[in-house]
Amino acid sequence: MNISVKKRTGENIIAIAEQVDMVVDRHRANWGPGTRITKLMDQSKEIRNLVKDLENNILSGLVLVIVVLFFFLGLRNAVLVALAIPFSMLLSFMVLNLLGISLNMVVLFSLTLALGMLVDNAVVIIENIYRYMEQGVGRVAAAMKGTAEVAWPVIGSSATTIAAFAPMIFWPDIMGAFMRYLPITLIITLSSSLFVALVINPTFGALFMRLKSDSAGEDAATVKGVTATGEQPVEVRGRLLTSYVWLLRAALNHRLPVVLMSVLFLGLLFQVWLIVIGLERPVEFFPSIDPSNAYVNLDLPEGSDLAYNDRLLKLLEMRITGAATEPTNPLIEVDPEAYQAAYRPKTHATPQGEQIQGPSDLQTIEHIYAKAVKTPGAGALFGNTADNHLGIQFLDLADRAESTSQSLEEIRRRIGDMPGAKITVEKEEGGPPTGAPINIEISGDRFEVLGKLAKSIEKLVRNIPHVEDVQNDYQEAIPALRVRVDRQKAAMFGLTTSALGLALKTAYNGLDVSTYYEGDDEYDITVILPEAERKHPDVLQRLMIPSSSGELVPLTTLAAIDYTGILGDIIRIDQQRVVTVKANVDESKVPGAVARMQAEKMLADFQLPPGYRIKFTGEFEDQQKSQTFLSKAFLIALFLIFFILVTLFNSVAQPMIILTSVVLSLGGVFLGLVVIDKPFGVIMTGVGVISLAGVVVNNAIVLIDYTNKLLARGMALREAVVAAGATRLRPVMLTAVTTILGLIPMVTGVSFDFSAMAVSWVNESTQWWQSMAAVVIFGLMIATFLTLVVVPVLYTVMDDARRWAPRSVRWLRRMYWKPVASNNSVK
């Protein structure tokens, strides 16, 4: 017996699953011996695994961040910076709760993505306070001066990051409903971290901050290293600072080659990515993940009975389990002993060496269940599951010896030549529903013509490499009994066609004639033929119809009864009759977008009758909408960032320097995709690029702001650029490293399982978010070099251009502009 439990919209599936377990445990004692309960397709289990993975990623990233801060700043200062994380998280959870946003997969990943960013502002402020203290300023004065000096750059950097995510709030359609939680969560979290960095961190710094090897000095406005004009740049000492200053001076001496090499490096990484990924799969819509469940759907002959459907499902089960497939004819009863033998447990070894049992020789299958129903005559449902189907539940990711995508290929091979029905394999899709990778809608007036076109297109689509499960929803020749009424004979007995129709409807569908009451319950009394007679068409030959005079007249006297075929469902989209051809794609070998483009080319010359047209929809339509939106969102984000930077620096040239570094950091995007061997994902990589744009500008803002301050104090341009770079080296490195380390567990899939206190080597959520995290990580690696080397070079180039521009204009005026002599001039 099978009991299916579904949740209402908006309810918590984990809470429902827990209540179901409580009900089962409460009644277990009353069941007889040998009763076994198996939970199948438990979505709450998958959600728990995802939540646990993301929680472990957050905690593992937090530990890595604190360890790095400890080495750079010492234990006490590392703790002061790390306090930004719990305080920011607490404020974020309060705001999310007020907005009615619960923890889900996207929110949890957003918190993971924000983890490294949370300490960016705190690192800049605490490091600046610490540097003041190193130069002899007391704790309270250092906290005030250090915070005030970098307050506006920190506010500006947070504002640019928020501006990068803000356009994504307006993401439309179902994909927007799925991904909108990411920008909302990040904006709330980053705003909370800004408040913590400006208010809480300086307070704790003034109370508890200590230098590594001295006692706190007295509060003073002007002490060692601090002049009336403000604190002085860091003293260049140590291997790291000395090497960096040497590199920066060398770059300033060869500015043109440095800029050209940066541009060429971007182009080179793009070409390497194309070569590694291959031109056949450069773009994907949504990440292709190994499914946890799959369905084998049966589109059975119209009118097939329950026994036939059950026999066919048993044969499919035996093939999937690897048992003998005799008999192959679904009309022959399956041997019960052979069927039971197919389910003898098979033992497999997990990657960890543990022995587990499953019903199949395929080493990834945990359970198989079958559902057989009497087909109502409308064919299979056009979705993940049909009325008659097999459900396949795979083992947890950590226990799989191979990819479930490989298992699905083997299942398709085993059942590919199965007679008796049209069989398709559908994997469970994660994330928002997007439709099939290839979804072709054929519209027109006549269904017969649409059916012929659908068959022709289906044959063409089957020839595309790596395309599978091709089908269409045209239903023809459904068996039916037709009753043609002889109106003249019916009139002779005082009957009409509507009266005959009502009699047939009563016989087969039933007619409620009264209600029976028993206590507070009521039961309908229905007049209907017995079920055994409704199954046989011969009953129509014996059916008697009451005439107006009260006598019974045989139906065969009033009408002719014959067999015929009728059309199935009539589907309309935008008031047009439509037949749809759809197909799945093995996205481990080729992205759905590439297969869809091949289908478009193949159908470009397909001849259509007048009045009929073809339209590609499904995943393609969603991809086009998302691609268009993300492109606009990226441009709007750049404009907002530029506007904020112009306001912050009161300059156009300096924001252009920062935006140039953003564009050049795209080389890190392609490098990250090469490392993880992934195509450019419209959703995940696109969001990652927008996230990267917001993060990259932060360090450049702090660096350029300090350069401007040194120039305002009268320092020479080149010396100011070098001093600013050396002074901001530590916070720039720290903010980049902490953000990268916070995302490392998401890319590698390796984290520490704090519930089991053991290292977890696989991660379910990594399949979803790996490309986005890799883009941010490698983009930041490239951007850090750009910030520390290329941005100072571009700063000097822009300054030279600003100073040389007036001279160039005056020189051009002298060379090419000559005043026209007046006619009244004296000769």
Side-chain angles (χ1 to χ4, degrees), residues 699-717:
N699 291 329
I701 288 174
V702 176
L703 178 64
I704 291 180
D705 177 77
Y706 191 60
T707 306
N708 292 339
K709 289 179 179 178
L710 293 179
L711 288 173
R713 295 175 188 175
M715 189 176 289
L717 172 63

Side-chain angles (χ1 to χ4, degrees), residues 6-26:
K6 297 182 179 180
K7 79 176 186 72
R8 295 191 184 97
T9 303
E11 296 297 327
N12 190 319
I13 192 171
I14 294 179
I16 293 173
E18 290 174 351
Q19 294 178 26
V20 169
D21 290 339
M22 291 171 60
V23 171
V24 171
D25 293 337
R26 188 165 61 246

Side-chain angles (χ1 to χ4, degrees), residues 819-827:
V820 180
S822 173
N823 292 330
N824 298 325
S825 60
V826 179
K827 297 183 179 179

Side-chain angles (χ1 to χ4, degrees), residues 574-591:
D574 296 332
Q575 300 181 351
Q576 292 281 326
R577 291 183 172 185
V578 173
V579 171
T580 303
V581 176
K582 77 167 188 173
N584 293 323
V585 178
D586 185 355
E587 299 201 10
S588 62
K589 298 177 180 177
V590 60

